Amino acid sequence: KFVTKIFNDGVSKHFADPNDPIVKLLDPFQMLPVNEDFRKKGLVKGHVVVCEFWLYHLSKLKLLDMKLARNEDLTYSALAIRLGLPFTRIGGKYRLNNVRV
């Protein structure tokens, strides 16, 4: 309940204000560059590179679930948090290499 209260009273309040510095820092959020090989047998294959990769609408995050796990000695604990994002948008510069159709 403590973490839920922190999320609802702290983080959610920040996300509700579009002028908040945290929202301006996280929305849009710049991701690391991505590159991946792709192949659809008999149709197309190639390599895609994504630079300047941005994730938009992170301010709409909602806390869905939370679980606390501890061992019997109570010397270890882990908190698993499940967040929901109703919708998001990604953008970036995409480059296709070695594409064969």
Side-chain angles (χ1 to χ4, degrees), residues 33-96:
V34 176
N35 64 66
E36 186 69 35
D37 290 325
F38 62 91
R39 179 181 181 160
K40 185 71 175 175
K41 193 169 183 171
L43 184 61
V44 66
K45 82 176 203 180
H47 184 81
V48 64
V49 178
V50 185
C51 298
E52 296 181 29
F53 186 36
W54 295 90
L55 181 62
Y56 296 90
H57 304 298
L58 275 180
S59 60
K60 307 290 186 223
L61 274 175
K62 302 287 181 210
L63 180 63
L64 298 179
D65 189 26
M66 175 178 358
K67 292 180 184 175
L68 180 63
R70 297 185 194 170
N71 65 352
E72 293 175 2
D73 302 336
L74 299 178
T75 56
Y76 173 81
S77 61
L79 181 65
I81 298 175
R82 197 168 60 130
L83 301 172
L85 192 58
F87 65 95
T88 188
R89 185 171 58 90
I90 59 171
K93 294 183 179 179
Y94 302 87
R95 183 178 74 228
L96 296 172

Side-chain angles (χ1 to χ4, degrees), residues 17-33:
D17 180 11
N19 296 319
D20 191 279
I22 293 176
V23 173
K24 289 184 178 184
L25 180 70
L26 290 177
D27 203 359
F29 182 73
Q30 188 169 17
M31 306 283 283
L32 294 172

